[in-house]
Amino acid sequence: MRALEEKICREGQILPGNILKVGNFLNQQIDTAFLCEIGREIARLYRDAGVTRILTMESSGIAIATAAAIEMGVPFVFAKKHPAINQNGALLKAKVHSYTHGNDYFATVGAEYLPAGERVLIVDDFLANGEALNGMISLLEQAGCEIAGVAIAIEKQFQGGGDKLRARGIRIESLARIVSMSETEGVRFAD
Amino acid sequence: MRALEEKICREGQILPGNILKVGNFLNQQIDTAFLCEIGREIARLYRDAGVTRILTMESSGIAIATAAAIEMGVPFVFAKKHPAINQNGALLKAKVHSYTHGNDYFATVGAEYLPAGERVLIVDDFLANGEALNGMISLLEQAGCEIAGVAIAIEKQFQGGGDKLRARGIRIESLARIVSMSETEGVRFAD
């Protein structure tokens, strides 16, 4: 998605530790019109995939999932990284290692929100090592859902998570794929 | 908003400790078409209020803020409850006590995302004691923003937070206002 690549070059900021900061438009301050463009692109890519619901992870996936779900006319669900007292039923859980925070957490979602047989599209803002995505895949496997595929705004392809999952046969569509990035040379995208 | 009251009666669940669980449609599994209705109602209520951006709190406010921001054609920003390594600039901070989790946390937002002079609508899913809302008001005061008002999906009016803020002259619009609720007698709404 050319518009996203241009936006990353114009407004993104490269921080030490392979962090790409896009809080200016994607995951803290949200450019609403642009978010809707992302939603439309995800809907276009998966329009024939029989998607019946969307799964994302709190917090930064929620806005993108909302936009995609509105375009696709399906409900969405988000997995929680932090336990909440209003989770009273059976929970699905998956352990996730966070490289960015240097800790492990359990992603949880109420089992009632992922009924068996649903055909689920996973949506998230970033894909790097694939840890969060593996957690969501595990939740869907536990639930007995089909995985329609994955839609990611920004894939840091050089970190390898996406290609490992493609090798398992999972369809992954990333709207911008970064093959290298550095504070001196900026961001380079896949062709 | 009658449709929200009916949905709460039909799909909400009252848990011990004055918890109203609406994870089925509002804050874990999201009924997308209904979310858009909520967004339209918030936009209608504040259409003449000169709102230039929306502020919410992660995580459960984000979907509602997204829907409202799309309808209103303004950007939105969410405050974080958990520190993130991609927050590298000046931060605004406000201490918030969480009754539901029994702890204190700092709500933070990059100062660059709340420029002075913006006219900001605060959006959230719940208003009970008003702690999270007070935190967001403090962030806006620190930023030098005007508070256009507050839009809440569900106010538990009997917990008093909303009325304290109204007494300070802040406009608060709640789409459903609960005056009492119990496991035996269900939910009663304000007229």
PDB file of all heavy atoms in Angstrom, chain A residues 13 15 19 21 27-30 32 53 58-59 74 76-78 83 85 88, chain B residues 13 15 19 21 27-30 32 53 58-59 74 76 78 85 88 101:
ATOM      1  N   GLN A  13       9.346   7.469  12.682  1.00  0.00           N
ATOM      2  CA  GLN A  13      10.593   7.852  13.338  1.00  0.00           C
ATOM      3  C   GLN A  13      11.285   6.557  13.767  1.00  0.00           C
ATOM      4  O   GLN A  13      10.650   5.678  14.367  1.00  0.00           O
ATOM      5  CB  GLN A  13      10.204   8.689  14.560  1.00  0.00           C
ATOM      6  CG  GLN A  13      11.277   9.558  15.116  1.00  0.00           C
ATOM      7  CD  GLN A  13      10.762  10.280  16.378  1.00  0.00           C
ATOM      8  OE1 GLN A  13       9.548  10.370  16.622  1.00  0.00           O
ATOM      9  NE2 GLN A  13      11.681  10.781  17.176  1.00  0.00           N
ATOM     10  N   LEU A  15      13.706   4.565  16.064  1.00  0.00           N
ATOM     11  CA  LEU A  15      14.308   4.668  17.396  1.00  0.00           C
ATOM     12  C   LEU A  15      15.286   3.506  17.579  1.00  0.00           C
ATOM     13  O   LEU A  15      15.190   2.494  16.879  1.00  0.00           O
ATOM     14  CB  LEU A  15      13.234   4.605  18.480  1.00  0.00           C
ATOM     15  CG  LEU A  15      12.088   5.619  18.380  1.00  0.00           C
ATOM     16  CD1 LEU A  15      11.154   5.467  19.576  1.00  0.00           C
ATOM     17  CD2 LEU A  15      12.635   7.041  18.322  1.00  0.00           C
ATOM     18  N   ILE A  19      13.028  -0.051  16.643  1.00  0.00           N
ATOM     19  CA  ILE A  19      11.669   0.429  16.898  1.00  0.00           C
ATOM     20  C   ILE A  19      11.313   1.460  15.825  1.00  0.00           C
ATOM     21  O   ILE A  19      12.065   2.402  15.584  1.00  0.00           O
ATOM     22  CB  ILE A  19      11.577   1.102  18.283  1.00  0.00           C
ATOM     23  CG1 ILE A  19      11.995   0.149  19.391  1.00  0.00           C
ATOM     24  CG2 ILE A  19      10.162   1.644  18.516  1.00  0.00           C
ATOM     25  CD1 ILE A  19      11.112  -1.045  19.573  1.00  0.00           C
ATOM     26  N   LYS A  21       8.611   4.184  15.229  1.00  0.00           N
ATOM     27  CA  LYS A  21       7.537   4.896  15.930  1.00  0.00           C
ATOM     28  C   LYS A  21       6.573   5.491  14.911  1.00  0.00           C
ATOM     29  O   LYS A  21       6.969   6.322  14.089  1.00  0.00           O
ATOM     30  CB  LYS A  21       8.146   5.998  16.804  1.00  0.00           C
ATOM     31  CG  LYS A  21       7.117   6.773  17.614  1.00  0.00           C
ATOM     32  CD  LYS A  21       7.777   7.832  18.498  1.00  0.00           C
ATOM     33  CE  LYS A  21       6.715   8.669  19.198  1.00  0.00           C
ATOM     34  NZ  LYS A  21       7.322   9.702  20.077  1.00  0.00           N
ATOM     35  N   ASN A  27      -0.780   4.374  15.884  1.00  0.00           N
ATOM     36  CA  ASN A  27      -1.060   3.648  17.126  1.00  0.00           C
ATOM     37  C   ASN A  27      -0.959   4.427  18.429  1.00  0.00           C
ATOM     38  O   ASN A  27      -0.874   3.817  19.488  1.00  0.00           O
ATOM     39  CB  ASN A  27      -0.231   2.350  17.182  1.00  0.00           C
ATOM     40  CG  ASN A  27       1.252   2.602  17.101  1.00  0.00           C
ATOM     41  OD1 ASN A  27       1.692   3.734  17.277  1.00  0.00           O
ATOM     42  ND2 ASN A  27       2.026   1.579  16.854  1.00  0.00           N
ATOM     43  N   GLN A  28      -0.997   5.759  18.370  1.00  0.00           N
ATOM     44  CA  GLN A  28      -1.352   6.477  19.596  1.00  0.00           C
ATOM     45  C   GLN A  28      -2.241   7.672  19.233  1.00  0.00           C
ATOM     46  O   GLN A  28      -3.330   7.803  19.743  1.00  0.00           O
ATOM     47  CB  GLN A  28      -0.146   6.922  20.420  1.00  0.00           C
ATOM     48  CG  GLN A  28      -0.636   7.596  21.709  1.00  0.00           C
ATOM     49  CD  GLN A  28       0.353   7.675  22.822  1.00  0.00           C
ATOM     50  OE1 GLN A  28       1.545   7.637  22.621  1.00  0.00           O
ATOM     51  NE2 GLN A  28      -0.149   7.804  24.040  1.00  0.00           N
ATOM     52  N   GLN A  29      -1.739   8.498  18.329  1.00  0.00           N
ATOM     53  CA  GLN A  29      -2.618   9.463  17.682  1.00  0.00           C
ATOM     54  C   GLN A  29      -3.040   8.808  16.371  1.00  0.00           C
ATOM     55  O   GLN A  29      -2.185   8.327  15.614  1.00  0.00           O
ATOM     56  CB  GLN A  29      -1.862  10.755  17.414  1.00  0.00           C
ATOM     57  CG  GLN A  29      -2.604  11.749  16.547  1.00  0.00           C
ATOM     58  CD  GLN A  29      -1.840  13.068  16.424  1.00  0.00           C
ATOM     59  OE1 GLN A  29      -2.017  13.961  17.218  1.00  0.00           O
ATOM     60  NE2 GLN A  29      -0.962  13.163  15.435  1.00  0.00           N
ATOM     61  N   ILE A  30      -4.311   8.782  16.092  1.00  0.00           N
ATOM     62  CA  ILE A  30      -4.768   8.066  14.901  1.00  0.00           C
ATOM     63  C   ILE A  30      -5.366   9.032  13.882  1.00  0.00           C
ATOM     64  O   ILE A  30      -6.272   9.804  14.184  1.00  0.00           O
ATOM     65  CB  ILE A  30      -5.779   6.953  15.269  1.00  0.00           C
ATOM     66  CG1 ILE A  30      -5.037   5.773  15.901  1.00  0.00           C
ATOM     67  CG2 ILE A  30      -6.463   6.414  14.020  1.00  0.00           C
ATOM     68  CD1 ILE A  30      -4.971   5.729  17.358  1.00  0.00           C
ATOM     69  N   THR A  32      -7.708   9.454  11.373  1.00  0.00           N
ATOM     70  CA  THR A  32      -8.927   8.674  11.177  1.00  0.00           C
ATOM     71  C   THR A  32      -9.206   8.379   9.701  1.00  0.00           C
ATOM     72  O   THR A  32      -9.571   7.256   9.344  1.00  0.00           O
ATOM     73  CB  THR A  32     -10.131   9.414  11.796  1.00  0.00           C
ATOM     74  OG1 THR A  32      -9.768   9.841  13.118  1.00  0.00           O
ATOM     75  CG2 THR A  32     -11.319   8.513  11.914  1.00  0.00           C
ATOM     76  N   ARG A  53     -15.314 -13.227  11.353  1.00  0.00           N
ATOM     77  CA  ARG A  53     -14.962 -12.293  12.426  1.00  0.00           C
ATOM     78  C   ARG A  53     -13.480 -11.976  12.401  1.00  0.00           C
ATOM     79  O   ARG A  53     -12.701 -12.627  11.711  1.00  0.00           O
ATOM     80  CB  ARG A  53     -15.415 -12.766  13.814  1.00  0.00           C
ATOM     81  CG  ARG A  53     -14.724 -14.023  14.367  1.00  0.00           C
ATOM     82  CD  ARG A  53     -15.277 -14.327  15.752  1.00  0.00           C
ATOM     83  NE  ARG A  53     -16.735 -14.368  15.694  1.00  0.00           N
ATOM     84  CZ  ARG A  53     -17.539 -14.107  16.741  1.00  0.00           C
ATOM     85  NH1 ARG A  53     -17.042 -13.819  17.926  1.00  0.00           N
ATOM     86  NH2 ARG A  53     -18.844 -14.168  16.591  1.00  0.00           N
ATOM     87  N   GLU A  58      -5.101  -6.303  22.206  1.00  0.00           N
ATOM     88  CA  GLU A  58      -5.051  -4.947  22.742  1.00  0.00           C
ATOM     89  C   GLU A  58      -3.601  -4.483  22.799  1.00  0.00           C
ATOM     90  O   GLU A  58      -2.713  -5.301  22.907  1.00  0.00           O
ATOM     91  CB  GLU A  58      -5.705  -4.888  24.129  1.00  0.00           C
ATOM     92  CG  GLU A  58      -4.915  -5.598  25.211  1.00  0.00           C
ATOM     93  CD  GLU A  58      -5.511  -5.412  26.611  1.00  0.00           C
ATOM     94  OE1 GLU A  58      -6.520  -4.718  26.783  1.00  0.00           O
ATOM     95  OE2 GLU A  58      -4.932  -5.994  27.528  1.00  0.00           O
ATOM     96  N   SER A  59      -3.299  -3.162  22.786  1.00  0.00           N
ATOM     97  CA  SER A  59      -4.240  -2.100  22.524  1.00  0.00           C
ATOM     98  C   SER A  59      -4.121  -1.607  21.085  1.00  0.00           C
ATOM     99  O   SER A  59      -5.100  -1.167  20.482  1.00  0.00           O
ATOM    100  CB  SER A  59      -3.906  -0.885  23.398  1.00  0.00           C
ATOM    101  OG  SER A  59      -4.107  -1.131  24.727  1.00  0.00           O
ATOM    102  N   VAL A  74     -18.277  -7.387   9.805  1.00  0.00           N
ATOM    103  CA  VAL A  74     -18.189  -8.544  10.710  1.00  0.00           C
ATOM    104  C   VAL A  74     -17.872  -8.043  12.126  1.00  0.00           C
ATOM    105  O   VAL A  74     -17.363  -6.933  12.289  1.00  0.00           O
ATOM    106  CB  VAL A  74     -17.083  -9.538  10.267  1.00  0.00           C
ATOM    107  CG1 VAL A  74     -17.402 -10.135   8.900  1.00  0.00           C
ATOM    108  CG2 VAL A  74     -15.700  -8.887  10.270  1.00  0.00           C
ATOM    109  N   PHE A  76     -15.739  -8.016  15.730  1.00  0.00           N
ATOM    110  CA  PHE A  76     -14.348  -8.318  16.071  1.00  0.00           C
ATOM    111  C   PHE A  76     -14.186  -8.508  17.562  1.00  0.00           C
ATOM    112  O   PHE A  76     -15.037  -8.126  18.367  1.00  0.00           O
ATOM    113  CB  PHE A  76     -13.381  -7.272  15.507  1.00  0.00           C
ATOM    114  CG  PHE A  76     -13.327  -5.973  16.249  1.00  0.00           C
ATOM    115  CD1 PHE A  76     -12.367  -5.753  17.221  1.00  0.00           C
ATOM    116  CD2 PHE A  76     -14.208  -4.962  15.952  1.00  0.00           C
ATOM    117  CE1 PHE A  76     -12.297  -4.554  17.901  1.00  0.00           C
ATOM    118  CE2 PHE A  76     -14.158  -3.760  16.623  1.00  0.00           C
ATOM    119  CZ  PHE A  76     -13.200  -3.540  17.604  1.00  0.00           C
ATOM    120  N   VAL A  77     -13.074  -9.127  17.899  1.00  0.00           N
ATOM    121  CA  VAL A  77     -12.772  -9.516  19.271  1.00  0.00           C
ATOM    122  C   VAL A  77     -11.332  -9.108  19.531  1.00  0.00           C
ATOM    123  O   VAL A  77     -10.502  -9.216  18.640  1.00  0.00           O
ATOM    124  CB  VAL A  77     -12.865 -11.057  19.423  1.00  0.00           C
ATOM    125  CG1 VAL A  77     -12.573 -11.487  20.842  1.00  0.00           C
ATOM    126  CG2 VAL A  77     -14.215 -11.568  18.962  1.00  0.00           C
ATOM    127  N   PHE A  78     -11.053  -8.627  20.738  1.00  0.00           N
ATOM    128  CA  PHE A  78      -9.628  -8.430  21.022  1.00  0.00           C
ATOM    129  C   PHE A  78      -9.181  -9.264  22.214  1.00  0.00           C
ATOM    130  O   PHE A  78      -9.906  -9.420  23.193  1.00  0.00           O
ATOM    131  CB  PHE A  78      -9.249  -6.953  21.178  1.00  0.00           C
ATOM    132  CG  PHE A  78      -9.873  -6.190  22.309  1.00  0.00           C
ATOM    133  CD1 PHE A  78      -9.266  -6.164  23.561  1.00  0.00           C
ATOM    134  CD2 PHE A  78     -11.040  -5.481  22.105  1.00  0.00           C
ATOM    135  CE1 PHE A  78      -9.822  -5.437  24.594  1.00  0.00           C
ATOM    136  CE2 PHE A  78     -11.611  -4.742  23.138  1.00  0.00           C
ATOM    137  CZ  PHE A  78     -10.997  -4.718  24.388  1.00  0.00           C
ATOM    138  N   PRO A  83      -4.966  -9.179  32.797  1.00  0.00           N
ATOM    139  CA  PRO A  83      -6.189  -9.780  33.323  1.00  0.00           C
ATOM    140  C   PRO A  83      -7.199  -8.702  33.696  1.00  0.00           C
ATOM    141  O   PRO A  83      -6.837  -7.609  34.104  1.00  0.00           O
ATOM    142  CB  PRO A  83      -5.718 -10.535  34.570  1.00  0.00           C
ATOM    143  CG  PRO A  83      -4.352 -10.035  34.878  1.00  0.00           C
ATOM    144  CD  PRO A  83      -3.792  -9.445  33.630  1.00  0.00           C
ATOM    145  N   ILE A  85     -11.170  -7.982  35.646  1.00  0.00           N
ATOM    146  CA  ILE A  85     -12.124  -8.633  36.553  1.00  0.00           C
ATOM    147  C   ILE A  85     -13.465  -8.901  35.899  1.00  0.00           C
ATOM    148  O   ILE A  85     -14.293  -9.571  36.487  1.00  0.00           O
ATOM    149  CB  ILE A  85     -12.368  -7.791  37.819  1.00  0.00           C
ATOM    150  CG1 ILE A  85     -12.825  -6.395  37.427  1.00  0.00           C
ATOM    151  CG2 ILE A  85     -11.166  -7.776  38.705  1.00  0.00           C
ATOM    152  CD1 ILE A  85     -13.543  -5.724  38.543  1.00  0.00           C
ATOM    153  N   ASN A  88     -15.334 -13.450  33.392  1.00  0.00           N
ATOM    154  CA  ASN A  88     -15.826 -14.408  34.385  1.00  0.00           C
ATOM    155  C   ASN A  88     -16.082 -15.805  33.841  1.00  0.00           C
ATOM    156  O   ASN A  88     -16.347 -16.707  34.594  1.00  0.00           O
ATOM    157  CB  ASN A  88     -17.107 -13.879  35.024  1.00  0.00           C
ATOM    158  CG  ASN A  88     -18.246 -13.850  34.015  1.00  0.00           C
ATOM    159  OD1 ASN A  88     -18.016 -13.618  32.839  1.00  0.00           O
ATOM    160  ND2 ASN A  88     -19.458 -14.103  34.473  1.00  0.00           N
TER     161      ASN A  88
ATOM    162  N   GLN B  13     -24.501  -8.591  31.677  1.00  0.00           N
ATOM    163  CA  GLN B  13     -24.490  -9.581  32.749  1.00  0.00           C
ATOM    164  C   GLN B  13     -23.976  -8.856  33.997  1.00  0.00           C
ATOM    165  O   GLN B  13     -22.956  -8.161  33.937  1.00  0.00           O
ATOM    166  CB  GLN B  13     -23.517 -10.690  32.318  1.00  0.00           C
ATOM    167  CG  GLN B  13     -23.661 -11.991  33.033  1.00  0.00           C
ATOM    168  CD  GLN B  13     -22.607 -12.997  32.559  1.00  0.00           C
ATOM    169  OE1 GLN B  13     -21.964 -12.830  31.513  1.00  0.00           O
ATOM    170  NE2 GLN B  13     -22.398 -14.020  33.349  1.00  0.00           N
ATOM    171  N   LEU B  15     -22.223  -8.827  37.452  1.00  0.00           N
ATOM    172  CA  LEU B  15     -21.315  -9.653  38.238  1.00  0.00           C
ATOM    173  C   LEU B  15     -21.147  -9.029  39.627  1.00  0.00           C
ATOM    174  O   LEU B  15     -21.427  -7.842  39.814  1.00  0.00           O
ATOM    175  CB  LEU B  15     -19.939  -9.736  37.556  1.00  0.00           C
ATOM    176  CG  LEU B  15     -19.906 -10.224  36.104  1.00  0.00           C
ATOM    177  CD1 LEU B  15     -18.465 -10.320  35.607  1.00  0.00           C
ATOM    178  CD2 LEU B  15     -20.582 -11.593  36.000  1.00  0.00           C
ATOM    179  N   ILE B  19     -20.077  -4.886  38.909  1.00  0.00           N
ATOM    180  CA  ILE B  19     -19.509  -5.003  37.564  1.00  0.00           C
ATOM    181  C   ILE B  19     -20.623  -5.334  36.585  1.00  0.00           C
ATOM    182  O   ILE B  19     -21.380  -6.276  36.791  1.00  0.00           O
ATOM    183  CB  ILE B  19     -18.443  -6.129  37.512  1.00  0.00           C
ATOM    184  CG1 ILE B  19     -17.332  -5.903  38.537  1.00  0.00           C
ATOM    185  CG2 ILE B  19     -17.886  -6.269  36.103  1.00  0.00           C
ATOM    186  CD1 ILE B  19     -16.497  -4.688  38.325  1.00  0.00           C
ATOM    187  N   LYS B  21     -20.999  -6.616  32.930  1.00  0.00           N
ATOM    188  CA  LYS B  21     -20.210  -7.211  31.846  1.00  0.00           C
ATOM    189  C   LYS B  21     -20.927  -7.016  30.526  1.00  0.00           C
ATOM    190  O   LYS B  21     -22.054  -7.500  30.345  1.00  0.00           O
ATOM    191  CB  LYS B  21     -20.000  -8.704  32.116  1.00  0.00           C
ATOM    192  CG  LYS B  21     -19.134  -9.388  31.069  1.00  0.00           C
ATOM    193  CD  LYS B  21     -18.893 -10.847  31.411  1.00  0.00           C
ATOM    194  CE  LYS B  21     -18.133 -11.548  30.296  1.00  0.00           C
ATOM    195  NZ  LYS B  21     -17.903 -12.973  30.598  1.00  0.00           N
ATOM    196  N   ASN B  27     -17.066  -4.276  24.705  1.00  0.00           N
ATOM    197  CA  ASN B  27     -15.663  -4.067  25.046  1.00  0.00           C
ATOM    198  C   ASN B  27     -14.772  -5.304  25.095  1.00  0.00           C
ATOM    199  O   ASN B  27     -13.687  -5.254  25.654  1.00  0.00           O
ATOM    200  CB  ASN B  27     -15.521  -3.224  26.330  1.00  0.00           C
ATOM    201  CG  ASN B  27     -16.211  -3.856  27.512  1.00  0.00           C
ATOM    202  OD1 ASN B  27     -16.579  -5.024  27.452  1.00  0.00           O
ATOM    203  ND2 ASN B  27     -16.383  -3.099  28.573  1.00  0.00           N
ATOM    204  N   GLN B  28     -15.214  -6.401  24.495  1.00  0.00           N
ATOM    205  CA  GLN B  28     -14.222  -7.433  24.164  1.00  0.00           C
ATOM    206  C   GLN B  28     -14.584  -8.048  22.806  1.00  0.00           C
ATOM    207  O   GLN B  28     -13.770  -8.050  21.902  1.00  0.00           O
ATOM    208  CB  GLN B  28     -14.046  -8.502  25.238  1.00  0.00           C
ATOM    209  CG  GLN B  28     -12.943  -9.484  24.808  1.00  0.00           C
ATOM    210  CD  GLN B  28     -12.354 -10.311  25.910  1.00  0.00           C
ATOM    211  OE1 GLN B  28     -12.991 -10.574  26.900  1.00  0.00           O
ATOM    212  NE2 GLN B  28     -11.127 -10.772  25.713  1.00  0.00           N
ATOM    213  N   GLN B  29     -15.810  -8.521  22.704  1.00  0.00           N
ATOM    214  CA  GLN B  29     -16.351  -8.818  21.376  1.00  0.00           C
ATOM    215  C   GLN B  29     -17.155  -7.588  20.973  1.00  0.00           C
ATOM    216  O   GLN B  29     -17.974  -7.094  21.771  1.00  0.00           O
ATOM    217  CB  GLN B  29     -17.250 -10.040  21.454  1.00  0.00           C
ATOM    218  CG  GLN B  29     -18.047 -10.309  20.190  1.00  0.00           C
ATOM    219  CD  GLN B  29     -18.821 -11.608  20.303  1.00  0.00           C
ATOM    220  OE1 GLN B  29     -18.350 -12.660  19.925  1.00  0.00           O
ATOM    221  NE2 GLN B  29     -20.018 -11.540  20.856  1.00  0.00           N
ATOM    222  N   ILE B  30     -16.919  -7.068  19.809  1.00  0.00           N
ATOM    223  CA  ILE B  30     -17.589  -5.820  19.440  1.00  0.00           C
ATOM    224  C   ILE B  30     -18.556  -6.058  18.288  1.00  0.00           C
ATOM    225  O   ILE B  30     -18.180  -6.560  17.233  1.00  0.00           O
ATOM    226  CB  ILE B  30     -16.566  -4.702  19.104  1.00  0.00           C
ATOM    227  CG1 ILE B  30     -15.948  -4.172  20.402  1.00  0.00           C
ATOM    228  CG2 ILE B  30     -17.256  -3.515  18.439  1.00  0.00           C
ATOM    229  CD1 ILE B  30     -14.666  -4.769  20.788  1.00  0.00           C
ATOM    230  N   THR B  32     -20.063  -4.664  15.483  1.00  0.00           N
ATOM    231  CA  THR B  32     -19.554  -3.537  14.698  1.00  0.00           C
ATOM    232  C   THR B  32     -20.666  -2.593  14.242  1.00  0.00           C
ATOM    233  O   THR B  32     -20.516  -1.373  14.314  1.00  0.00           O
ATOM    234  CB  THR B  32     -18.784  -4.071  13.474  1.00  0.00           C
ATOM    235  OG1 THR B  32     -17.892  -5.099  13.917  1.00  0.00           O
ATOM    236  CG2 THR B  32     -17.961  -2.985  12.837  1.00  0.00           C
ATOM    237  N   ARG B  53     -10.519  17.120  18.228  1.00  0.00           N
ATOM    238  CA  ARG B  53      -9.979  15.757  18.363  1.00  0.00           C
ATOM    239  C   ARG B  53     -10.627  15.051  19.547  1.00  0.00           C
ATOM    240  O   ARG B  53     -11.310  15.668  20.358  1.00  0.00           O
ATOM    241  CB  ARG B  53      -8.445  15.743  18.477  1.00  0.00           C
ATOM    242  CG  ARG B  53      -7.844  16.319  19.728  1.00  0.00           C
ATOM    243  CD  ARG B  53      -6.324  16.179  19.658  1.00  0.00           C
ATOM    244  NE  ARG B  53      -5.826  16.694  18.382  1.00  0.00           N
ATOM    245  CZ  ARG B  53      -4.692  16.285  17.791  1.00  0.00           C
ATOM    246  NH1 ARG B  53      -3.921  15.372  18.377  1.00  0.00           N
ATOM    247  NH2 ARG B  53      -4.316  16.797  16.646  1.00  0.00           N
ATOM    248  N   GLU B  58      -6.735   3.577  26.728  1.00  0.00           N
ATOM    249  CA  GLU B  58      -6.694   2.166  26.338  1.00  0.00           C
ATOM    250  C   GLU B  58      -7.320   1.320  27.442  1.00  0.00           C
ATOM    251  O   GLU B  58      -7.275   1.722  28.599  1.00  0.00           O
ATOM    252  CB  GLU B  58      -5.251   1.723  26.050  1.00  0.00           C
ATOM    253  CG  GLU B  58      -4.357   1.678  27.289  1.00  0.00           C
ATOM    254  CD  GLU B  58      -2.963   1.128  27.001  1.00  0.00           C
ATOM    255  OE1 GLU B  58      -2.661   0.742  25.879  1.00  0.00           O
ATOM    256  OE2 GLU B  58      -2.177   1.089  27.946  1.00  0.00           O
ATOM    257  N   SER B  59      -7.829   0.117  27.145  1.00  0.00           N
ATOM    258  CA  SER B  59      -8.030  -0.410  25.824  1.00  0.00           C
ATOM    259  C   SER B  59      -9.479  -0.281  25.402  1.00  0.00           C
ATOM    260  O   SER B  59      -9.782  -0.103  24.231  1.00  0.00           O
ATOM    261  CB  SER B  59      -7.730  -1.924  25.797  1.00  0.00           C
ATOM    262  OG  SER B  59      -6.401  -2.189  26.023  1.00  0.00           O
ATOM    263  N   VAL B  74     -12.552  13.634  12.820  1.00  0.00           N
ATOM    264  CA  VAL B  74     -11.432  14.218  13.584  1.00  0.00           C
ATOM    265  C   VAL B  74     -10.452  13.106  13.963  1.00  0.00           C
ATOM    266  O   VAL B  74     -10.826  11.936  13.991  1.00  0.00           O
ATOM    267  CB  VAL B  74     -11.932  14.920  14.872  1.00  0.00           C
ATOM    268  CG1 VAL B  74     -12.841  16.102  14.539  1.00  0.00           C
ATOM    269  CG2 VAL B  74     -12.633  13.938  15.820  1.00  0.00           C
ATOM    270  N   PHE B  76      -8.059  10.939  16.632  1.00  0.00           N
ATOM    271  CA  PHE B  76      -8.185  10.639  18.060  1.00  0.00           C
ATOM    272  C   PHE B  76      -6.866  10.122  18.610  1.00  0.00           C
ATOM    273  O   PHE B  76      -5.971   9.724  17.873  1.00  0.00           O
ATOM    274  CB  PHE B  76      -9.350   9.687  18.347  1.00  0.00           C
ATOM    275  CG  PHE B  76      -9.109   8.249  18.009  1.00  0.00           C
ATOM    276  CD1 PHE B  76      -8.645   7.368  18.976  1.00  0.00           C
ATOM    277  CD2 PHE B  76      -9.363   7.757  16.751  1.00  0.00           C
ATOM    278  CE1 PHE B  76      -8.437   6.021  18.693  1.00  0.00           C
ATOM    279  CE2 PHE B  76      -9.161   6.422  16.455  1.00  0.00           C
ATOM    280  CZ  PHE B  76      -8.691   5.557  17.420  1.00  0.00           C
ATOM    281  N   PHE B  78      -5.155   7.980  22.131  1.00  0.00           N
ATOM    282  CA  PHE B  78      -5.477   7.267  23.368  1.00  0.00           C
ATOM    283  C   PHE B  78      -4.338   7.355  24.369  1.00  0.00           C
ATOM    284  O   PHE B  78      -3.170   7.289  24.014  1.00  0.00           O
ATOM    285  CB  PHE B  78      -5.942   5.835  23.133  1.00  0.00           C
ATOM    286  CG  PHE B  78      -4.937   4.890  22.528  1.00  0.00           C
ATOM    287  CD1 PHE B  78      -4.063   4.170  23.315  1.00  0.00           C
ATOM    288  CD2 PHE B  78      -4.903   4.694  21.145  1.00  0.00           C
ATOM    289  CE1 PHE B  78      -3.163   3.270  22.759  1.00  0.00           C
ATOM    290  CE2 PHE B  78      -4.008   3.805  20.582  1.00  0.00           C
ATOM    291  CZ  PHE B  78      -3.125   3.098  21.384  1.00  0.00           C
ATOM    292  N   ILE B  85       7.837   1.292  25.055  1.00  0.00           N
ATOM    293  CA  ILE B  85       9.170   1.751  24.690  1.00  0.00           C
ATOM    294  C   ILE B  85       9.171   2.657  23.473  1.00  0.00           C
ATOM    295  O   ILE B  85      10.174   3.262  23.166  1.00  0.00           O
ATOM    296  CB  ILE B  85      10.125   0.579  24.401  1.00  0.00           C
ATOM    297  CG1 ILE B  85       9.529  -0.329  23.329  1.00  0.00           C
ATOM    298  CG2 ILE B  85      10.461  -0.188  25.635  1.00  0.00           C
ATOM    299  CD1 ILE B  85      10.576  -1.160  22.675  1.00  0.00           C
ATOM    300  N   ASN B  88       8.996   8.146  23.162  1.00  0.00           N
ATOM    301  CA  ASN B  88      10.335   8.712  23.362  1.00  0.00           C
ATOM    302  C   ASN B  88      10.358  10.214  23.586  1.00  0.00           C
ATOM    303  O   ASN B  88      11.383  10.764  23.902  1.00  0.00           O
ATOM    304  CB  ASN B  88      11.231   8.386  22.153  1.00  0.00           C
ATOM    305  CG  ASN B  88      10.742   9.109  20.909  1.00  0.00           C
ATOM    306  OD1 ASN B  88       9.551   9.326  20.741  1.00  0.00           O
ATOM    307  ND2 ASN B  88      11.669   9.485  20.048  1.00  0.00           N
ATOM    308  N   HIS B 101      -9.186  -2.811  39.396  1.00  0.00           N
ATOM    309  CA  HIS B 101      -7.980  -3.615  39.562  1.00  0.00           C
ATOM    310  C   HIS B 101      -7.347  -3.438  40.948  1.00  0.00           C
ATOM    311  O   HIS B 101      -6.402  -4.141  41.290  1.00  0.00           O
ATOM    312  CB  HIS B 101      -6.930  -3.275  38.487  1.00  0.00           C
ATOM    313  CG  HIS B 101      -7.331  -3.729  37.122  1.00  0.00           C
ATOM    314  ND1 HIS B 101      -8.115  -2.972  36.298  1.00  0.00           N
ATOM    315  CD2 HIS B 101      -7.083  -4.897  36.453  1.00  0.00           C
ATOM    316  CE1 HIS B 101      -8.330  -3.633  35.164  1.00  0.00           C
ATOM    317  NE2 HIS B 101      -7.724  -4.787  35.236  1.00  0.00           N
TER     318      HIS B 101
END
